[in-house]
Amino acid sequence: MDRDKQTTSSTKQKILDAALDLIASFGYKGASVRKIAKAVGIRESAIYNHFKNKEEIFASIMQNLFVSPLDEFFTKKPPQIYAKRGKIYLLEFAMNIKILSFDSRHEKLFRIILVELMQNEKIRQIFLQKFFDEYIKHLSNAFFVMMQEGLIRSGDPLLMAQEFFAPLFYFRLHTLLLRMDDKSTTSLSTIFEKHVEFFWEGVAISS
Amino acid sequence: MDRDKQTTSSTKQKILDAALDLIASFGYKGASVRKIAKAVGIRESAIYNHFKNKEEIFASIMQNLFVSPLDEFFTKKPPQIYAKRGKIYLLEFAMNIKILSFDSRHEKLFRIILVELMQNEKIRQIFLQKFFDEYIKHLSNAFFVMMQEGLIRSGDPLLMAQEFFAPLFYFRLHTLLLRMDDKSTTSLSTIFEKHVEFFWEGVAISS
DNA sequence: TTTATATATTAACATATGTTCAGTTAATGT
DNA sequence: ACATTAACTGAACATATGTTAATATATAAA
């Protein structure tokens, strides 16, 4: 029987939390079982009561990487319906990314993706899928709608989506890198809004 | 005396070449001395005839990271003089990045930067300096000139520089990630040119 | 030819890592 | 009270790593 179901699950969670931190800092290889155990406050052998091996810890964390907070945005506000709002819609999307940039849990997940990007093909697939496929497709739909509504000048919606998204990605990365070394991010505090302004000026049809 | 100066330097170069490849693939930690030695065709202890330790190999490679091929562009074609050309100037800059994206030696250097980005503060500084400071400042000057010349609409040159550069960075990263898994990059073959077109449409003053 | 020296090899070291296993502890169900 | 069992500890293992020491080899200078 469970000696203490509470303790059990909390220890398992502690391991995951510690692993998340350590992998975000040192990568998969750098996050050793001993470091994780030490962070939790147990011996390394105790880890194996909760996970089959180190790989399983990583796999468990990986699941979180598949869940994208921006999926929620596109589900709640599908472009087909809400893109008519034009600039407002783009601003909302940009604000979502801005918020994520300063959310500490999501920052860790993003760091894990980046730290493993070049060495782990699976993570690379997730990265490509999210930042170069999914979001772009959704935004592409949005721009298509805006063209139909006569809000923006006509053109290739796919290109437009990339042009709109790329700076957001660039600013998000910039934010992360500055934060890693505890540098000031004040220069980026309004950049997301400014981007939407600039972009809209370039594509909007001033009627 | 040197038994064979030719052999000496070529072995040393072989070590650097092998290390470059291995670090680009597996990162600094993953590129073990034994792997490097094996790639060169000598025992690991022989490495220490050419380098004090592993750190020195890495340091030697790091020097290359400081040299940016785009510095040459801005030296040969300073914005103060050439930016008057407007769109042509932007296209030249974009083409430089495009060419680098498909240059195998530069790809390796870029991979090393990315693979160590999250774990090595020094590399992070180089990365920030190059992609978020230097290029942006140069481009910022260029846009300032274009505004003075009445080629583009007025606005914040710094913001404009970021808006212009971010997609180029985004496409460059996309190219690298696709190439890593031997995926097709045909969809990106003309994207750099298209970006310049799109951007120019958004800022140009049609006289 | 002899000598000196750069460069290589073989072997070993100290350490870090992932993992296993025998035994201990403490809470739970009977 | 007693047996059961999840969770933990301590110790060890096999392996990988960075590094060093003793030794061999081969080439250039004398």
Coordinates of all heavy atoms in Angstrom, one line a residue, chain A residues 63-148:
Chain A
Q63 N 6.5 15.8 -22.5 CA 5.1 15.9 -22.8 C 4.6 17.4 -22.7 O 3.7 17.8 -23.4 CB 4.3 15.0 -21.8 CG 4.6 13.6 -22.1 CD 3.7 12.7 -21.2 OE1 3.5 13.0 -20.1 NE2 3.3 11.5 -21.7
N64 N 5.1 18.1 -21.7 CA 4.7 19.5 -21.5 C 5.1 20.4 -22.7 O 4.4 21.3 -23.0 CB 5.4 20.1 -20.3 CG 4.9 19.4 -19.0 OD1 3.7 19.2 -18.8 ND2 5.8 19.0 -18.1
L65 N 6.2 20.0 -23.4 CA 6.6 20.8 -24.5 C 5.6 20.7 -25.7 O 5.6 21.6 -26.5 CB 8.0 20.3 -25.0 CG 9.1 20.3 -23.9 CD1 10.4 19.9 -24.6 CD2 9.3 21.7 -23.4
F66 N 4.9 19.6 -25.7 CA 3.9 19.5 -26.8 C 2.7 20.4 -26.6 O 2.1 20.8 -27.6 CB 3.4 18.0 -26.9 CG 4.4 17.1 -27.5 CD1 5.2 16.3 -26.7 CD2 4.6 17.1 -28.9 CE1 6.1 15.4 -27.3 CE2 5.5 16.3 -29.5 CZ 6.3 15.4 -28.7
V67 N 2.4 20.7 -25.4 CA 1.3 21.6 -25.1 C 1.7 23.1 -25.3 O 2.5 23.6 -24.6 CB 0.8 21.4 -23.7 CG1 -0.5 22.2 -23.5 CG2 0.5 19.9 -23.4
S68 N 1.1 23.7 -26.3 CA 1.4 25.1 -26.6 C 0.3 26.0 -26.1 O -0.9 25.8 -26.4 CB 1.5 25.3 -28.1 OG 1.6 26.6 -28.4
P69 N 0.7 27.0 -25.3 CA -0.3 27.9 -24.7 C -0.9 28.7 -25.8 O -2.0 29.3 -25.6 CB 0.6 28.9 -23.8 CG 1.9 28.1 -23.7 CD 2.1 27.3 -24.9
L70 N -0.3 28.8 -27.0 CA -0.9 29.6 -28.0 C -2.0 28.9 -28.8 O -2.8 29.4 -29.5 CB 0.2 30.1 -29.0 CG 1.1 31.2 -28.5 CD1 2.2 31.5 -29.5 CD2 0.3 32.5 -28.2
D71 N -2.0 27.5 -28.6 CA -3.1 26.7 -29.2 C -4.4 27.2 -28.6 O -5.4 27.3 -29.3 CB -2.9 25.2 -28.9 CG -1.7 24.7 -29.6 OD1 -1.3 25.3 -30.6 OD2 -1.2 23.6 -29.3
E72 N -4.4 27.5 -27.3 CA -5.6 27.9 -26.7 C -6.1 29.2 -27.3 O -7.3 29.3 -27.5 CB -5.2 28.2 -25.2 CG -6.4 28.2 -24.2 CD -6.0 28.7 -22.9 OE1 -4.7 28.7 -22.6 OE2 -6.9 29.0 -22.1
F73 N -5.2 30.1 -27.6 CA -5.6 31.4 -28.2 C -6.3 31.1 -29.5 O -7.4 31.6 -29.8 CB -4.4 32.2 -28.5 CG -4.6 33.5 -29.3 CD1 -5.2 34.6 -28.7 CD2 -4.3 33.5 -30.6 CE1 -5.5 35.7 -29.4 CE2 -4.6 34.7 -31.4 CZ -5.2 35.7 -30.8
F74 N -5.7 30.2 -30.4 CA -6.3 30.0 -31.7 C -7.6 29.2 -31.6 O -8.4 29.2 -32.5 CB -5.3 29.3 -32.6 CG -4.3 30.2 -33.1 CD1 -2.9 30.1 -32.8 CD2 -4.6 31.3 -33.9 CE1 -1.9 30.9 -33.3 CE2 -3.6 32.2 -34.4 CZ -2.3 32.0 -34.1
T75 N -7.7 28.4 -30.5 CA -9.0 27.7 -30.3 C -10.1 28.6 -29.9 O -11.2 28.6 -30.4 CB -8.8 26.6 -29.2 OG1 -7.6 25.8 -29.6 CG2 -10.0 25.7 -29.1
K76 N -9.8 29.5 -28.9 CA -10.8 30.4 -28.4 C -11.1 31.5 -29.4 O -12.3 31.9 -29.5 CB -10.2 31.1 -27.1 CG -10.4 30.3 -25.9 CD -10.0 31.2 -24.7 CE -10.1 30.4 -23.4 NZ -9.6 31.1 -22.2
K77 N -10.1 31.9 -30.2 CA -10.3 33.0 -31.1 C -9.9 32.5 -32.5 O -8.8 33.0 -33.0 CB -9.6 34.2 -30.7 CG -9.9 34.6 -29.3 CD -9.9 36.1 -29.1 CE -10.6 36.5 -27.8 NZ -10.5 38.0 -27.5
P78 N -10.6 31.6 -33.2 CA -10.2 31.2 -34.5 C -10.2 32.3 -35.5 O -11.1 33.2 -35.5 CB -11.4 30.2 -34.8 CG -12.5 30.5 -34.0 CD -11.9 31.1 -32.7
P79 N -9.2 32.3 -36.3 CA -9.0 33.4 -37.3 C -10.2 33.6 -38.2 O -10.6 34.8 -38.5 CB -7.8 32.9 -38.1 CG -7.1 32.0 -37.2 CD -8.1 31.4 -36.4
Q80 N -10.9 32.5 -38.5 CA -12.0 32.6 -39.4 C -13.1 33.6 -38.9 O -13.8 34.2 -39.7 CB -12.7 31.2 -39.7 CG -11.8 30.3 -40.5 CD -10.7 29.6 -39.8 OE1 -10.5 29.9 -38.6 NE2 -9.8 28.9 -40.4
I81 N -13.2 33.7 -37.6 CA -14.2 34.5 -37.0 C -13.7 35.9 -36.5 O -14.2 36.9 -36.8 CB -14.9 33.8 -35.8 CG1 -15.6 32.5 -36.3 CG2 -15.9 34.7 -35.1 CD1 -16.0 31.6 -35.2
Y82 N -12.5 35.8 -35.8 CA -12.0 37.0 -35.1 C -11.1 37.8 -35.9 O -10.8 38.9 -35.5 CB -11.4 36.6 -33.8 CG -12.4 36.1 -32.8 CD1 -12.8 34.8 -32.7 CD2 -13.0 37.0 -31.9 CE1 -13.7 34.3 -31.8 CE2 -13.9 36.6 -31.0 CZ -14.3 35.2 -30.9 OH -15.2 34.8 -30.0
A83 N -10.6 37.3 -37.0 CA -9.6 38.0 -37.8 C -10.1 39.3 -38.4 O -9.4 40.2 -38.7 CB -8.9 37.2 -38.9
K84 N -11.5 39.4 -38.5 CA -12.1 40.6 -39.0 C -11.7 41.8 -38.2 O -11.8 42.9 -38.7 CB -13.6 40.4 -39.0 CG -14.1 39.3 -40.0 CD -15.6 39.0 -39.7 CE -16.0 37.8 -40.6 NZ -17.4 37.4 -40.3
R85 N -11.4 41.6 -37.0 CA -11.0 42.7 -36.2 C -9.7 43.4 -36.6 O -9.3 44.4 -36.1 CB -10.9 42.3 -34.7 CG -12.2 41.8 -34.1 CD -12.0 41.3 -32.7 NE -13.3 40.8 -32.2 CZ -13.4 40.3 -31.0 NH1 -12.4 40.3 -30.1 NH2 -14.5 39.8 -30.5
G86 N -9.0 42.7 -37.5 CA -7.8 43.3 -38.0 C -6.7 43.5 -37.0 O -6.2 42.6 -36.3
K87 N -6.3 44.7 -36.9 CA -5.2 45.1 -36.0 C -5.4 44.6 -34.5 O -4.4 44.2 -33.9 CB -5.0 46.6 -36.0 CG -3.8 47.1 -35.3 CD -3.7 48.6 -35.5 CE -2.9 49.3 -34.4 NZ -3.0 50.8 -34.6
I88 N -6.6 44.7 -34.1 CA -6.9 44.3 -32.7 C -6.5 42.8 -32.5 O -5.9 42.4 -31.5 CB -8.4 44.4 -32.4 CG1 -8.9 45.8 -32.7 CG2 -8.7 43.9 -31.0 CD1 -8.5 46.8 -31.6
Y89 N -6.8 42.0 -33.5 CA -6.5 40.6 -33.5 C -5.0 40.3 -33.4 O -4.6 39.5 -32.6 CB -7.1 39.9 -34.7 CG -7.1 38.4 -34.6 CD1 -7.9 37.7 -33.8 CD2 -6.2 37.7 -35.4 CE1 -7.8 36.3 -33.7 CE2 -6.1 36.3 -35.4 CZ -6.9 35.6 -34.5 OH -6.9 34.2 -34.5
L90 N -4.3 41.1 -34.2 CA -2.9 40.9 -34.2 C -2.3 41.3 -32.9 O -1.3 40.7 -32.4 CB -2.2 41.7 -35.4 CG -2.7 41.4 -36.8 CD1 -2.0 42.3 -37.8 CD2 -2.3 39.9 -37.1
L91 N -2.8 42.4 -32.4 CA -2.3 42.9 -31.1 C -2.6 41.8 -30.0 O -1.7 41.6 -29.1 CB -3.0 44.2 -30.7 CG -2.4 45.0 -29.6 CD1 -1.0 45.3 -29.8 CD2 -3.3 46.3 -29.3
E92 N -3.7 41.2 -30.0 CA -4.0 40.2 -29.0 C -3.0 39.0 -29.1 O -2.5 38.5 -28.1 CB -5.4 39.7 -29.2 CG -6.5 40.5 -28.6 CD -7.9 39.9 -28.7 OE1 -8.1 38.9 -28.0 OE2 -8.7 40.3 -29.6
F93 N -2.7 38.6 -30.3 CA -1.8 37.5 -30.5 C -0.4 38.0 -30.0 O 0.3 37.2 -29.3 CB -1.7 37.2 -32.0 CG -0.7 36.1 -32.3 CD1 -1.0 34.8 -32.1 CD2 0.6 36.5 -32.9 CE1 -0.1 33.8 -32.4 CE2 1.5 35.5 -33.2 CZ 1.1 34.1 -32.9
A94 N 0.0 39.2 -30.3 CA 1.3 39.6 -29.9 C 1.4 39.7 -28.4 O 2.4 39.4 -27.8 CB 1.6 41.0 -30.5
M95 N 0.3 40.1 -27.7 CA 0.2 40.2 -26.3 C 0.4 38.9 -25.6 O 1.0 38.7 -24.6 CB -1.0 40.9 -25.8 CG -1.1 42.4 -26.1 SD 0.3 43.3 -25.4 CE 1.4 43.4 -26.8
N96 N -0.2 37.9 -26.3 CA -0.1 36.5 -25.8 C 1.4 36.1 -25.7 O 1.9 35.5 -24.8 CB -0.8 35.5 -26.6 CG -2.2 35.3 -26.1 OD1 -2.4 34.4 -25.2 ND2 -3.2 36.0 -26.5
I97 N 2.1 36.4 -26.8 CA 3.5 36.0 -26.8 C 4.3 36.9 -25.8 O 5.2 36.3 -25.2 CB 4.1 36.3 -28.3 CG1 3.4 35.2 -29.2 CG2 5.6 36.1 -28.3 CD1 4.0 35.2 -30.6
K98 N 3.9 38.1 -25.7 CA 4.6 39.0 -24.7 C 4.5 38.4 -23.3 O 5.4 38.3 -22.5 CB 4.1 40.4 -24.8 CG 4.7 41.3 -23.8 CD 4.2 42.7 -23.9 CE 4.9 43.7 -22.9 NZ 4.4 45.1 -23.0
I99 N 3.2 38.0 -23.0 CA 3.0 37.4 -21.6 C 3.8 36.2 -21.4 O 4.4 36.0 -20.4 CB 1.5 37.2 -21.5 CG1 0.7 38.5 -21.4 CG2 1.2 36.3 -20.2 CD1 -0.8 38.3 -21.5
L100 N 3.9 35.3 -22.4 CA 4.6 34.1 -22.3 C 6.1 34.4 -22.1 O 6.8 33.7 -21.4 CB 4.5 33.2 -23.6 CG 3.1 32.6 -23.8 CD1 3.1 31.8 -25.1 CD2 2.8 31.7 -22.6
S101 N 6.6 35.4 -22.7 CA 8.0 35.8 -22.6 C 8.4 36.1 -21.1 O 9.6 36.0 -20.8 CB 8.3 37.0 -23.4 OG 8.0 36.8 -24.8
F102 N 7.4 36.5 -20.4 CA 7.7 36.9 -19.0 C 7.1 35.9 -18.0 O 7.2 36.2 -16.8 CB 7.3 38.3 -18.7 CG 8.1 39.3 -19.5 CD1 7.7 39.7 -20.8 CD2 9.2 39.9 -19.0 CE1 8.4 40.6 -21.5 CE2 10.0 40.8 -19.7 CZ 9.6 41.2 -20.9
D103 N 6.6 34.8 -18.4 CA 6.1 33.7 -17.5 C 7.2 32.8 -17.2 O 7.8 32.2 -18.1 CB 4.9 33.0 -18.2 CG 4.4 31.8 -17.4 OD1 3.8 32.1 -16.4 OD2 4.7 30.7 -17.7
S104 N 7.5 32.6 -15.9 CA 8.7 31.8 -15.6 C 8.6 30.3 -15.9 O 9.6 29.7 -16.3 CB 9.0 32.0 -14.1 OG 8.2 31.2 -13.3
R105 N 7.4 29.8 -15.7 CA 7.3 28.4 -16.1 C 7.5 28.1 -17.6 O 8.2 27.2 -18.0 CB 5.9 27.8 -15.7 CG 5.6 26.5 -16.3 CD 5.0 25.5 -15.4 NE 4.9 24.2 -16.1 CZ 5.6 23.1 -15.7 NH1 6.5 23.2 -14.7 NH2 5.5 22.0 -16.3
H106 N 6.8 29.0 -18.4 CA 7.0 28.8 -19.8 C 8.4 29.2 -20.3 O 8.9 28.6 -21.2 CB 6.0 29.7 -20.5 CG 5.9 29.4 -22.0 ND1 6.6 30.0 -22.9 CD2 5.2 28.4 -22.6 CE1 6.4 29.5 -24.1 NE2 5.5 28.5 -24.0
E107 N 9.0 30.0 -19.6 CA 10.4 30.4 -19.9 C 11.3 29.1 -19.8 O 12.1 28.9 -20.7 CB 11.0 31.5 -19.0 CG 12.4 31.8 -19.3 CD 12.9 33.0 -18.5 OE1 12.3 34.0 -18.4 OE2 14.0 32.8 -17.8
K108 N 11.1 28.4 -18.8 CA 11.9 27.1 -18.6 C 11.6 26.1 -19.7 O 12.6 25.5 -20.2 CB 11.5 26.5 -17.2 CG 12.2 27.1 -16.1 CD 11.7 26.5 -14.8 CE 12.1 27.4 -13.6 NZ 11.4 27.0 -12.3
L109 N 10.4 26.0 -20.1 CA 10.1 25.1 -21.2 C 10.8 25.6 -22.5 O 11.3 24.8 -23.2 CB 8.6 25.0 -21.4 CG 7.8 24.3 -20.3 CD1 6.3 24.3 -20.5 CD2 8.3 22.9 -20.1
F110 N 10.7 26.8 -22.7 CA 11.3 27.4 -23.9 C 12.8 27.2 -23.9 O 13.5 26.9 -24.9 CB 11.0 28.9 -24.0 CG 11.3 29.5 -25.3 CD1 10.9 29.0 -26.5 CD2 12.0 30.7 -25.4 CE1 11.2 29.6 -27.7 CE2 12.3 31.3 -26.6 CZ 11.9 30.7 -27.8
R111 N 13.4 27.3 -22.7 CA 14.8 27.2 -22.5 C 15.3 25.7 -22.8 O 16.3 25.5 -23.4 CB 15.3 27.5 -21.1 CG 15.4 29.0 -20.9 CD 15.8 29.3 -19.5 NE 17.1 28.8 -19.1 CZ 17.8 29.2 -18.1 NH1 17.3 30.2 -17.3 NH2 19.0 28.7 -17.8
I112 N 14.4 24.8 -22.3 CA 14.7 23.4 -22.6 C 14.7 23.1 -24.1 O 15.6 22.4 -24.7 CB 13.7 22.4 -21.9 CG1 14.0 22.5 -20.4 CG2 13.8 21.0 -22.5 CD1 13.2 21.4 -19.6
I113 N 13.7 23.7 -24.8 CA 13.6 23.5 -26.2 C 14.9 24.0 -26.9 O 15.5 23.4 -27.7 CB 12.4 24.3 -26.8 CG1 11.1 23.5 -26.4 CG2 12.5 24.3 -28.3 CD1 9.9 24.2 -26.9
L114 N 15.3 25.2 -26.5 CA 16.5 25.8 -27.1 C 17.8 25.1 -26.8 O 18.7 25.0 -27.6 CB 16.6 27.3 -26.7 CG 15.6 28.3 -27.4 CD1 15.8 29.7 -26.9 CD2 15.8 28.2 -28.9
V115 N 17.9 24.7 -25.5 CA 19.1 24.1 -25.1 C 19.3 22.7 -25.7 O 20.5 22.2 -25.9 CB 19.2 23.9 -23.5 CG1 18.5 22.7 -23.1 CG2 20.6 24.0 -23.0
E116 N 18.2 22.1 -26.1 CA 18.3 20.8 -26.8 C 18.1 20.8 -28.3 O 18.1 19.8 -28.9 CB 17.3 19.8 -26.1 CG 17.7 19.4 -24.7 CD 18.9 18.5 -24.7 OE1 19.1 17.7 -25.5 OE2 19.8 18.8 -23.8
L117 N 17.8 22.0 -28.8 CA 17.4 22.2 -30.2 C 18.3 21.5 -31.2 O 17.9 20.8 -32.1 CB 17.3 23.7 -30.5 CG 16.8 24.0 -31.9 CD1 15.4 23.5 -32.1 CD2 16.8 25.6 -32.0
M118 N 19.6 21.7 -30.9 CA 20.6 21.2 -31.9 C 21.0 19.8 -31.7 O 21.7 19.2 -32.5 CB 21.8 22.1 -31.8 CG 21.5 23.6 -32.0 SD 20.8 24.0 -33.5 CE 22.1 23.8 -34.6
Q119 N 20.6 19.2 -30.6 CA 21.1 17.8 -30.3 C 20.0 16.8 -30.3 O 20.2 15.6 -30.3 CB 21.8 17.8 -29.0 CG 22.7 19.0 -28.8 CD 23.9 18.6 -28.0 OE1 24.5 17.6 -28.1 NE2 24.3 19.6 -27.1
N120 N 18.7 17.2 -30.2 CA 17.6 16.3 -30.1 C 16.6 16.5 -31.2 O 16.0 17.5 -31.3 CB 16.9 16.6 -28.7 CG 15.8 15.6 -28.4 OD1 15.0 15.3 -29.3 ND2 15.8 15.1 -27.2
E121 N 16.6 15.5 -32.1 CA 15.8 15.7 -33.3 C 14.3 15.8 -33.0 O 13.6 16.6 -33.6 CB 16.0 14.5 -34.2 CG 15.3 14.6 -35.6 CD 15.6 13.6 -36.6 OE1 16.6 12.8 -36.4 OE2 14.9 13.4 -37.6
K122 N 13.8 15.1 -32.0 CA 12.4 15.2 -31.6 C 12.0 16.6 -31.2 O 11.0 17.2 -31.6 CB 12.1 14.2 -30.5 CG 10.6 13.9 -30.3 CD 10.4 12.9 -29.2 CE 10.1 11.5 -29.8 NZ 10.1 10.4 -28.7
I123 N 12.9 17.2 -30.4 CA 12.6 18.6 -29.9 C 12.7 19.5 -31.1 O 11.9 20.5 -31.2 CB 13.6 19.0 -28.8 CG1 13.2 18.3 -27.5 CG2 13.7 20.5 -28.7 CD1 13.8 18.9 -26.3
R124 N 13.6 19.2 -32.0 CA 13.7 20.1 -33.2 C 12.4 20.0 -34.0 O 11.9 21.0 -34.6 CB 14.9 19.6 -34.1 CG 15.4 20.6 -35.0 CD 16.9 20.4 -35.3 NE 17.2 19.0 -35.8 CZ 18.1 18.2 -35.2 NH1 18.7 18.6 -34.1 NH2 18.3 17.0 -35.6
Q125 N 11.8 18.8 -34.1 CA 10.5 18.7 -34.8 C 9.4 19.5 -34.1 O 8.6 20.2 -34.8 CB 10.1 17.2 -34.8 CG 11.0 16.3 -35.6 CD 11.6 16.9 -36.8 OE1 10.9 17.5 -37.6 NE2 12.9 16.8 -37.0
I126 N 9.4 19.4 -32.8 CA 8.4 20.2 -32.0 C 8.6 21.7 -32.4 O 7.6 22.4 -32.6 CB 8.5 20.0 -30.5 CG1 8.3 18.6 -30.2 CG2 7.6 20.9 -29.8 CD1 8.6 18.2 -28.7
F127 N 9.8 22.1 -32.3 CA 10.2 23.5 -32.5 C 9.7 24.0 -33.9 O 9.1 25.0 -34.1 CB 11.7 23.7 -32.4 CG 12.2 25.1 -32.4 CD1 12.0 25.9 -31.3 CD2 12.8 25.6 -33.5 CE1 12.5 27.2 -31.3 CE2 13.3 26.9 -33.5 CZ 13.1 27.7 -32.5
L128 N 10.1 23.2 -34.9 CA 9.7 23.5 -36.3 C 8.2 23.5 -36.5 O 7.7 24.4 -37.1 CB 10.4 22.5 -37.2 CG 11.8 22.7 -37.6 CD1 12.4 21.5 -38.3 CD2 11.9 23.9 -38.6
Q129 N 7.6 22.5 -35.9 CA 6.1 22.4 -36.0 C 5.4 23.6 -35.4 O 4.6 24.3 -36.1 CB 5.7 21.2 -35.3 CG 4.2 20.8 -35.6 CD 3.7 19.7 -34.7 OE1 4.5 18.8 -34.4 NE2 2.5 19.8 -34.2
K130 N 5.8 24.0 -34.2 CA 5.2 25.1 -33.5 C 5.5 26.5 -34.2 O 4.6 27.2 -34.6 CB 5.6 25.2 -32.1 CG 4.9 24.2 -31.2 CD 5.5 24.1 -29.8 CE 5.3 25.5 -29.0 NZ 5.7 25.3 -27.6
F131 N 6.8 26.8 -34.3 CA 7.2 28.1 -34.7 C 7.3 28.4 -36.2 O 7.4 29.5 -36.6 CB 8.5 28.5 -34.0 CG 8.4 28.6 -32.5 CD1 9.0 27.6 -31.7 CD2 7.6 29.6 -31.9 CE1 8.9 27.7 -30.3 CE2 7.5 29.6 -30.5 CZ 8.1 28.7 -29.7
F132 N 7.3 27.3 -36.9 CA 7.4 27.5 -38.4 C 6.3 26.9 -39.2 O 6.2 27.0 -40.4 CB 8.8 26.9 -38.9 CG 10.0 27.6 -38.3 CD1 10.5 27.3 -37.1 CD2 10.5 28.7 -39.0 CE1 11.6 28.0 -36.6 CE2 11.6 29.4 -38.5 CZ 12.2 29.0 -37.3
D133 N 5.4 26.2 -38.5 CA 4.2 25.6 -39.2 C 2.9 26.1 -38.6 O 2.2 26.9 -39.2 CB 4.3 24.1 -39.1 CG 5.1 23.5 -40.2 OD1 5.7 24.3 -41.0 OD2 5.2 22.3 -40.4
E134 N 2.6 25.6 -37.4 CA 1.3 25.8 -36.8 C 0.9 27.3 -36.7 O -0.1 27.7 -37.3 CB 1.4 25.3 -35.3 CG 0.7 24.0 -35.2 CD 0.7 23.5 -33.7 OE1 0.4 24.3 -32.8 OE2 1.1 22.3 -33.5
Y135 N 1.7 28.1 -36.0 CA 1.4 29.5 -35.8 C 1.3 30.2 -37.2 O 0.4 31.0 -37.4 CB 2.4 30.2 -35.0 CG 2.6 29.6 -33.6 CD1 3.7 29.9 -32.8 CD2 1.6 28.8 -33.0 CE1 3.9 29.3 -31.6 CE2 1.7 28.3 -31.8 CZ 2.9 28.5 -31.0 OH 3.0 28.0 -29.8
I136 N 2.2 29.8 -38.1 CA 2.2 30.5 -39.4 C 0.9 30.2 -40.1 O 0.3 31.0 -40.8 CB 3.4 30.0 -40.2 CG1 4.7 30.4 -39.5 CG2 3.4 30.6 -41.6 CD1 4.9 31.9 -39.3
K137 N 0.5 28.9 -40.0 CA -0.8 28.5 -40.7 C -2.0 29.3 -40.2 O -2.8 29.8 -40.9 CB -1.0 27.0 -40.6 CG -0.3 26.2 -41.7 CD -0.5 24.7 -41.5 CE 0.5 23.9 -42.4 NZ 0.7 22.6 -41.8
H138 N -2.0 29.3 -38.9 CA -3.2 30.1 -38.2 C -3.1 31.6 -38.7 O -4.2 32.1 -39.0 CB -3.1 30.0 -36.7 CG -3.5 28.6 -36.2 ND1 -2.8 27.9 -35.3 CD2 -4.7 27.9 -36.5 CE1 -3.5 26.8 -35.0 NE2 -4.6 26.8 -35.7
L139 N -2.0 32.1 -38.6 CA -1.9 33.6 -38.9 C -2.1 33.8 -40.4 O -2.7 34.8 -40.8 CB -0.5 34.1 -38.6 CG -0.2 34.3 -37.1 CD1 1.3 34.6 -36.9 CD2 -1.0 35.4 -36.5
S140 N -1.7 32.8 -41.2 CA -2.0 32.9 -42.6 C -3.5 32.9 -42.9 O -3.9 33.7 -43.7 CB -1.4 31.6 -43.3 OG -1.4 31.8 -44.7
N141 N -4.2 32.1 -42.2 CA -5.7 32.2 -42.3 C -6.2 33.5 -41.9 O -7.1 34.1 -42.6 CB -6.3 31.1 -41.4 CG -6.2 29.7 -41.9 OD1 -6.0 29.5 -43.1 ND2 -6.2 28.7 -41.0
A142 N -5.7 34.1 -40.8 CA -6.1 35.4 -40.3 C -5.9 36.4 -41.4 O -6.8 37.2 -41.7 CB -5.3 35.7 -39.1
F143 N -4.7 36.4 -42.0 CA -4.4 37.4 -43.0 C -5.3 37.3 -44.3 O -5.7 38.2 -44.9 CB -2.9 37.4 -43.4 CG -2.1 38.0 -42.3 CD1 -1.1 37.3 -41.7 CD2 -2.3 39.4 -41.9 CE1 -0.3 37.8 -40.7 CE2 -1.5 39.9 -40.9 CZ -0.5 39.1 -40.3
F144 N -5.6 36.0 -44.6 CA -6.5 35.7 -45.7 C -7.9 36.4 -45.5 O -8.4 37.0 -46.4 CB -6.6 34.2 -45.9 CG -7.5 33.9 -47.1 CD1 -7.0 34.0 -48.4 CD2 -8.8 33.4 -46.9 CE1 -7.8 33.7 -49.4 CE2 -9.6 33.0 -48.0 CZ -9.1 33.2 -49.3
V145 N -8.3 36.2 -44.3 CA -9.6 36.8 -43.9 C -9.6 38.3 -44.0 O -10.4 39.0 -44.5 CB -10.0 36.4 -42.5 CG1 -11.2 37.2 -42.0 CG2 -10.4 34.9 -42.4
M146 N -8.5 38.9 -43.5 CA -8.3 40.4 -43.5 C -8.3 40.9 -44.9 O -8.8 42.0 -45.2 CB -7.0 40.8 -42.7 CG -7.1 40.5 -41.2 SD -5.6 41.1 -40.4 CE -5.6 40.1 -38.9
M147 N -7.7 40.1 -45.8 CA -7.7 40.6 -47.2 C -9.1 40.6 -47.8 O -9.5 41.5 -48.4 CB -6.8 39.6 -48.0 CG -5.3 39.8 -47.8 SD -4.3 38.6 -48.7 CE -2.8 38.7 -47.8
Q148 N -9.8 39.5 -47.5 CA -11.2 39.4 -48.0 C -12.0 40.5 -47.4 O -12.9 41.0 -48.1 CB -11.8 38.1 -47.5 CG -11.3 36.9 -48.3 CD -12.1 35.6 -48.0 OE1 -12.2 35.3 -46.8 NE2 -12.5 34.8 -48.9

